[in-house]
Amino acid sequence: MAPARKATKAGAKEVPSLTLASSAAAHMSEETRGAALAAPRGLIAAIGCSSLFGLLVLLSFLFSIQDYQTTIDSPYGQPVLQIFVDAVGENGAIVMMTVIMICVFHCGLFSVCSNSRMYYSFARDSGIPKWFATVDKRTQAPVKTIWLAVLLSFCLALPSLGSTVAFTAATSIATSGLYISYGIPIALGLVWPHHFQKGPFTLGILSKPIAAAAVMWVICITIFFCLPTANPVTSQTLNYCPVAIGVIALYIAVSWTFWARKYFVGPVRAVDGLQVAPADATDAYAHLEIGADNKLAEKDSPIDETEKESL
């Protein structure tokens, strides 16, 4: 039953990946015009499309399984490849796996692009050294954080070359870490809603029910990914995902307690080329307005030079 449990968990891990990739709409929001409206709309559209097509892909795999046990115990060591071989033969399987490899390569490009933007934002907000918070004049891209994302990803992947345990831990923490990073602000918004300033896009009365469901889902899926894939549990079958999460949580708690809270003041807002840290969240959308056409735009009265100097 161990292979079956491992396959079930591996399959479940792919389901979040189908929707998590849609978060690119949020990660690229700083390079989007009217992002306060365009980003959430793009996020919802991306989640809807990826969920629909992802479901179709998963169903096609499930209905193509000809023998479950043979698929699980595939001599190729890869159930998906076995499904392709059974369905379209070896030559067709090579073509299909090539298509998947190309898709995975582009997923890697997306990850680098997304991570580099998050690193840039974090550097701009003093979360990491501000040396990374620069945009290359020629490419108009955060080149330093792009290379930082590539380097850290490379270092994280190195241990998996010689250990399947390390590979499993890396993939588990990648999925769990993403979910936790989404779940924390949602949970904080539920517990302390008065600390959050609503933007021009809102889900209205559905906000709290959806947020509560999202938090419960994050809790359940995180626990699921922390469970071992085989029994009995040994050093080779132990899921090190909770260990990694614990180490990261401990580092965050210690760093915030002793030094990070002394210089990290929260998100920095850019105003006509200047970088301004708002005194509170209430002015986060002060420079924006929604027109009669329900489109977000800059106010007609821009900040004058005197106000810029005061900022």
Side-chain angles (χ1 to χ4, degrees), residues 92-104:
I94 293 175
V95 174
M96 298 299 292
M97 289 301 293
T98 301
V99 173
I100 290 180
M101 291 173 64
I102 294 174
C103 293
V104 170

Side-chain angles (χ1 to χ4, degrees), residues 175-244:
T175 306
S176 301
L178 277 172
Y179 267 116
I180 293 173
S181 68
Y182 295 149
I184 289 176
I186 297 174
L188 292 177
L190 280 174
V191 178
W192 293 290
H194 56 282
H195 286 291
F196 288 79
Q197 175 71 20
K198 288 187 177 181
F201 183 91
T202 176
L203 296 175
I205 60 174
L206 297 178
S207 295
K208 289 187 176 180
I210 292 176
V215 172
M216 293 302 299
W217 169 252
V218 169
I219 293 174
C220 293
I221 201 69
T222 301
I223 294 175
F224 179 75
F225 283 129
C226 289
L227 297 177
T229 58
N231 189 31
V233 178
T234 65
S235 60
Q236 295 300 312
T237 60
L238 176 66
N239 187 348
Y240 289 91
C241 179
V243 178

Side-chain angles (χ1 to χ4, degrees), residues 56-270:
L56 295 177
V57 170
L58 292 176
L59 288 176
S60 65
F61 277 130
L62 292 175
F63 281 104
S64 297
I65 295 176
Q66 299 184 17
D67 184 273
Y68 175 76
Q69 197 59 43
T70 301
T71 302
I72 294 298
D73 300 328
S74 172
Y76 300 105
Q78 178 55 257
V80 172
L81 179 56
Q82 184 65 51
I83 293 174
F84 285 150
V85 171
D86 293 340
V88 295
E90 291 189 356
N91 293 333
I94 293 175
V95 174
M96 298 299 292
M97 289 301 293
T98 301
V99 173
I100 290 180
M101 291 173 64
I102 294 174
C103 293
V104 170
F105 173 76
H106 284 88
C107 285
L109 293 180
F110 147 75
S111 296
V112 170
C113 181
S114 176
N115 291 337
S116 65
R117 269 58 179 182
M118 287 188 286
Y119 284 137
Y120 171 82
S121 299
F122 207 35
R124 180 201 58 203
D125 299 343
S126 300
I128 59 177
K130 279 187 171 292
W131 182 80
F132 290 105
T134 57
V135 177
D136 184 75
K137 294 182 179 180
R138 184 178 64 86
T139 62
Q140 293 297 303
V143 175
K144 292 179 181 178
T145 53
I146 289 175
W147 282 109
L148 177 63
V150 171
L151 177 62
L152 293 179
S153 300
F154 178 77
C155 294
L156 182 63
L158 279 179
S160 64
L161 295 177
S163 172
T164 56
V165 177
F167 177 78
T168 302
T171 53
S172 294
I173 189 60
T175 306
S176 301
L178 277 172
Y179 267 116
I180 293 173
S181 68
Y182 295 149
I184 289 176
I186 297 174
L188 292 177
L190 280 174
V191 178
W192 293 290
H194 56 282
H195 286 291
F196 288 79
Q197 175 71 20
K198 288 187 177 181
F201 183 91
T202 176
L203 296 175
I205 60 174
L206 297 178
S207 295
K208 289 187 176 180
I210 292 176
V215 172
M216 293 302 299
W217 169 252
V218 169
I219 293 174
C220 293
I221 201 69
T222 301
I223 294 175
F224 179 75
F225 283 129
C226 289
L227 297 177
T229 58
N231 189 31
V233 178
T234 65
S235 60
Q236 295 300 312
T237 60
L238 176 66
N239 187 348
Y240 289 91
C241 179
V243 178
I245 293 176
V247 171
I248 294 173
L250 179 62
Y251 172 77
I252 292 174
V254 172
S255 63
W256 179 256
T257 301
F258 291 100
W259 67 83
R261 61 190 177 95
K262 297 178 181 179
Y263 61 83
F264 183 74
V265 295
V268 173
R269 178 164 59 89

Side-chain angles (χ1 to χ4, degrees), residues 18-19 45-61:
L18 294 172
T19 54
I47 290 175
C49 292
S50 60
S51 298
L52 174 61
F53 287 103
L55 177 63
L56 295 177
V57 170
L58 292 176
L59 288 176
S60 65
F61 277 130

